Amino acid sequence: MREQPQRLAGRILATVLCAALLLPAAATAAGKRPNLASTAQYKAFVEYVEKLDGLVGQPTSAAQKDTYQSELTAKLEAATHKANALFNRGSDEAKAEAEAAFKEQRATIRGKEAEEADALDAEFAARIRKAAESYREKVQKVETGHRNFESKVNEQIARLRLQKARATSIAAKNAIQERISAKIAELQGRRKEESQKRVELKAAFRDQKAELRAAEGKKQQELEAAADAKIQKSAKHWKQIAVEKKADLDAKRDSQLAYLTAKAQKGRDDIASMPATG
């Protein structure tokens, strides 16, 4: 809880503090709330103290003095309440301004993060397409090589079968058949090799895609972490701005309360100096 005005009574700096009271509000809050000096409560208080000052030396009854004291206290409390209300309002505005600025900056950071994430996604999508094209080319090369080999061997087998048909001896036919069987076995072996090569190429492409996805995921996490760090820094910055503005407003309120207290003490002194009647 802030110090009450009564505890600040009699300060010598009251006159200097009056100047601080009349300073314009902070630029960030301009137009949003009035200065204390422009409020009805402040004006009523100051005018009442000036009235009391004009009554100095005038004989006054004890009852009237009590009335003056009560009215002075009431007007002081109203002006003090207004000073506190303006401080609270200013603090709320400073907080709202800082939060709005932070939200705007956060949206900018997230927007930039989204742009970079989209660019990263496009980059890795292109790399995966390139890997897919390379995979298809390798598979096509294997298929083409196998077709050419199979066509060549089938031609050889066909010629051997013609030779076998023309052979006159059983031994010759058997020898040619052995060659045909060897060619067929060679074809079967190459088919297995082609199938195995397809499996290997497919597995390699699958692994390459997984590596690319993992690399993209890591970079996406790095982007998100960098954005989070910027947002955290921004939040800290704007929170500090709000704290500093509130501290400035608090110091101004202290000056205002000190001035009001000094002014009230002047009014009390005026009342006390009035000669008693009867």
Side-chain angles (χ1 to χ4, degrees):
M1 182 177 294
R2 307 302 306 171
E3 286 186 299
Q4 295 301 313
Q6 290 78 4
R7 298 177 60 184
L8 301 173
R11 289 194 177 180
I12 300 175
L13 297 178
T15 303
V16 177
L17 294 174
C18 179
L21 175 68
L22 298 175
L23 288 174
T28 55
K32 295 184 179 180
R33 66 182 184 280
N35 289 325
L36 179 61
S38 67
T39 64
Q41 293 86 344
Y42 170 81
K43 290 178 180 179
F45 170 72
V46 171
E47 288 172 1
Y48 194 71
V49 174
E50 291 175 353
K51 174 184 175 180
L52 294 175
D53 193 47
L55 296 175
V56 172
Q58 180 176 319
T60 308
S61 66
Q64 185 60 52
K65 287 187 177 185
D66 289 342
T67 299
Y68 289 155
Q69 288 283 7
S70 296
E71 291 185 12
L72 177 63
T73 299
K75 293 184 184 301
L76 171 63
E77 289 177 351
T80 299
H81 177 76
K82 191 63 177 180
N84 287 326
L86 289 175
F87 164 76
N88 291 332
R89 181 176 169 184
S91 296
D92 290 343
E93 288 173 356
K95 182 180 179 182
E97 288 170 356
E99 288 177 350
F102 165 65
K103 288 178 181 178
E104 182 179 355
Q105 194 166 41
R106 180 178 61 187
T108 299
I109 292 170
R110 287 303 186 197
K112 182 64 175 177
E113 178 193 2
E115 290 177 3
E116 293 178 349
D118 288 344
L120 191 64
D121 187 59
E123 174 191 345
F124 276 88
R127 292 175 67 178
I128 289 176
R129 285 195 300 271
K130 185 176 180 180
E133 291 172 2
S134 176
Y135 164 67
R136 286 193 293 270
E137 289 174 358
K138 290 176 181 178
V139 170
Q140 186 176 9
K141 184 177 180 180
V142 170
E143 290 175 347
T144 300
H146 178 74
R147 281 196 302 270
N148 291 339
F149 174 78
E150 193 169 73
S151 177
K152 179 180 178 181
V153 174
N154 282 332
E155 289 176 0
Q156 292 173 351
I157 291 173
R159 287 197 297 269
L160 288 171
R161 282 174 175 165
L162 286 174
Q163 291 176 16
K164 179 182 177 182
R166 294 171 183 166
T168 56
S169 66
I170 298 298
K173 288 181 180 290
N174 289 340
I176 294 172
Q177 183 57 49
E178 288 180 0
R179 293 174 61 190
I180 291 172
S181 297
K183 291 294 181 181
I184 292 173
E186 187 177 1
L187 275 178
Q188 293 173 341
R190 288 297 293 267
R191 285 171 184 164
K192 290 181 180 180
E193 289 179 6
E194 182 202 14
S195 178
Q196 181 61 32
K197 186 64 176 177
R198 284 172 175 269
V199 170
E200 291 173 356
L201 288 173
K202 187 174 183 179
F205 175 52
R206 184 175 59 247
D207 291 344
Q208 188 176 15
K209 283 197 298 183
E211 290 175 0
L212 288 171
R213 292 298 187 197
E216 180 183 8
K218 182 179 179 181
K219 286 186 175 292
Q220 292 283 12
Q221 289 177 350
E222 291 173 352
L223 283 179
E224 184 177 355
D228 289 344
K230 290 179 181 177
I231 289 173
Q232 185 177 6
K233 183 178 180 180
S234 175
K236 184 177 180 181
H237 168 74
W238 289 111
K239 183 177 181 180
Q240 182 61 32
I241 291 295
V243 169
E244 291 173 358
K245 286 184 178 179
K246 184 176 180 180
D248 289 342
L249 291 170
D250 203 11
K252 182 177 181 179
R253 178 178 60 168
D254 282 345
S255 297
Q256 293 170 341
L257 295 179
Y259 172 75
L260 293 174
T261 298
K263 197 75 172 175
Q265 186 59 44
K266 178 64 170 59
R268 294 189 189 99
D269 291 343
D270 288 343
I271 295 170
S273 68
M274 295 175 188
T277 60

